[in-house]
Amino acid sequence: MQVKAFRWDGQKLWLLDQRKLPDLEEWIALEDHLQTAQAIKDMVVRGAPAIGCVSAYGFVLGVKKGEDPKIVYEVLRNTRPTAYNLFYALDRMMDAYKRGEDLEATAKAIEEEDYQANVKMAQIGNELIPKNARILTHCNTGALATAGFGTALGVIRQAHYSGKSIFVWVDETRPYLQGSRLTAWELLKEGIPHKIITDSTAGFLMKKGLVDCVIVGADRITKRGDVANKIGTYALSVLAKTHRIPFYVVAPSSTIDYSIESGEEILIEERSEEEVKRFKNCLFAPEGSPALHLAFDITPAENITAIITEKGIWKPT
Ligand code: MRU
């Protein structure tokens, strides 16, 4: 059974609170752009494509309330700096506003296009997955991170549906545990065989020949094919290269930032050190020790075997 991260009811925007998963399935109703911006910052909703779709509906809510569209646009833009889909969606909403188009219809189109892109990428990506593949994935790139189906997890889902007897190694993905809390939750609901591993286990599994390919999503892709994704992705790409394991990135074309050439130009979100030291009120580091929390890293195009978008397979180098 596939899940949904958000739902538009024509008046309000509903978000499944991803901070509470897998313990609780709790929905929150948002009534304006300020609440939407806060929910994005606080990771109630996360995953680049889902953030994009939600910001589009947030724009609708703000403009409906009579707020200046330029302010609504800025408030929503200043939430998370790395995920390109946020900027893609908000620029489209602003263009629609300037042209006097129906904003709700534009937001719905952004959502529908993302869903369709996922379905298409899943079919294209599935062609690269061998039977009985043991696939390693990082973070959560599933229905929860998108308008539905998923990017990297969509390919995994499709491979499972097509009867390939795949198995998934799920990186827990410190510090937010998008892997163990969210990806494992989605896989379990679908009955896809998997095992959660700590992030540091991946290299040894590769060395032992237990990983056939790595599939991840992306938060932003540059013109030359450098990829910003969840912190830890770069290390996985180096490990995969060392062990000659295919390393695939799956993302819709709305994640590609054509204005920049190199990953060096991507702003990496730095989040609170508290998120590294504490989980759900449990402190597991000395209060006085500082911590660094980079939310994303950059994987150079050279480390990527192929990027799969809804338009086809792109070999960046
Ligand atoms: O901080 P998050 O959970 O928003 O980060 C999400 C990721 O890094 C995903 O891999 C990426 O957005 C692709 S989701 C289809």
Side-chain angles (χ1 to χ4, degrees):
M1 189 198 73
Q2 262 190 69
V3 292
K4 276 293 282 175
F6 60 91
R7 204 159 29 81
W8 171 252
D9 72 4
Q11 303 293 327
K12 292 180 193 159
L13 177 61
W14 293 84
L15 299 185
L16 176 60
D17 190 342
Q18 298 193 30
R19 299 168 304 180
K20 306 237 167 98
L21 292 173
D23 305 338
L24 283 177
E25 289 182 38
E26 214 172 84
W27 287 81
I28 296 179
L30 307 179
E31 302 192 5
D32 62 29
H33 60 294
L34 297 172
Q35 290 177 353
T36 309
Q38 200 57 48
I40 294 173
K41 276 187 192 162
D42 292 346
M43 312 269 287
V44 176
V45 62
R46 29 68 49 202
I51 292 171
C53 296
V54 163
S55 71
Y57 286 116
F59 189 90
V60 175
L61 287 171
V63 174
K64 263 194 179 177
K65 285 247 151 151
E67 185 58 273
D68 178 349
K70 288 199 280 299
I71 293 177
V72 175
Y73 175 86
E74 281 309 320
V75 166
L76 289 164
R77 259 181 92 92
N78 286 316
T79 48
R80 299 196 67 193
T82 309
Y84 187 67
N85 304 64
L86 174 71
F87 306 99
Y88 166 86
L90 287 172
D91 285 348
R92 258 183 81 175
M93 294 306 291
M94 197 47 152
D95 285 349
Y97 172 77
K98 286 181 185 158
R99 285 200 293 264
E101 288 166 9
D102 181 339
L103 294 181
E104 196 175 328
T106 308
K108 282 183 182 163
I110 291 171
E111 177 182 354
E112 180 59 20
E113 284 166 29
D114 187 61
Y115 183 80
Q116 292 306 335
N118 286 343
V119 170
K120 187 86 203 190
M121 291 186 292
Q123 285 159 359
I124 298 170
N126 186 26
E127 286 164 26
L128 301 169
I129 309 299
K131 275 192 187 138
N132 303 310
R134 293 149 308 170
I135 304 167
L136 192 143
T137 193
H138 192 62
C139 199
N140 171 266
T141 60
L144 289 172
T146 61
F149 212 78
T151 58
L153 206 63
V155 172
I156 290 170
R157 212 185 282 283
Q158 190 63 35
H160 172 73
Y161 291 164
S162 60
K164 283 186 175 164
S165 300
I166 52 143
F167 173 86
V168 188
W169 295 112
V170 180
D171 258 7
E172 64 174 349
T173 318
R174 279 270 291 142
Y176 252 101
L177 307 180
Q178 288 96 329
S180 54
R181 292 190 304 109
L182 309 177
T183 299
W185 185 70
E186 285 198 43
L187 291 171
L188 200 61
K189 277 187 185 281
E190 294 263 22
I192 301 176
H194 65 280
K195 230 174 223 181
I196 299 163
I197 53 170
T198 58
D199 298 340
S200 47
T201 303
F204 192 51
L205 291 183
M206 290 186 195
K207 169 110 177 27
K208 283 164 71 82
L210 296 172
V211 179
D212 299 304
C213 62
V214 178
I215 314 183
V216 296
D219 277 78
R220 191 181 292 235
I221 302 175
T222 71
K223 246 163 46 178
R224 74 182 291 275
D226 295 341
V227 167
N229 193 49
K230 181 53 56 197
I231 192 79
T233 303
Y234 168 68
L236 284 176
S237 77
V238 174
L239 286 166
K241 202 171 184 179
T242 301
H243 295 95
R244 300 181 201 285
I245 294 168
F247 185 93
Y248 301 121
V249 173
V250 187
S253 54
S254 50
T255 306
I256 305 173
D257 180 354
Y258 291 102
S259 75
I260 56 173
E261 192 66 40
S262 152
E264 297 292 320
E265 297 166 70
I266 299 176
L267 182 60
I268 299 289
E269 177 181 6
E270 193 167 338
R271 293 186 64 89
S272 133
E273 60 174 325
E274 275 299 295
E275 293 175 348
V276 171
K277 289 159 54 178
R278 195 185 292 276
F279 191 73
K280 291 192 176 172
N281 292 329
C282 172
L283 179 72
F284 44 75
E287 190 92 67
S289 291
L292 172 67
H293 184 185
L294 300 178
F296 302 100
D297 58 26
I298 307 291
T299 298
E302 296 74 34
N303 289 8
I304 299 169
T305 312
I307 298 175
I308 293 118
T309 75
E310 75 279 16
K311 297 184 176 159
I313 297 173
W314 170 25
K315 295 198 172 142
T317 49

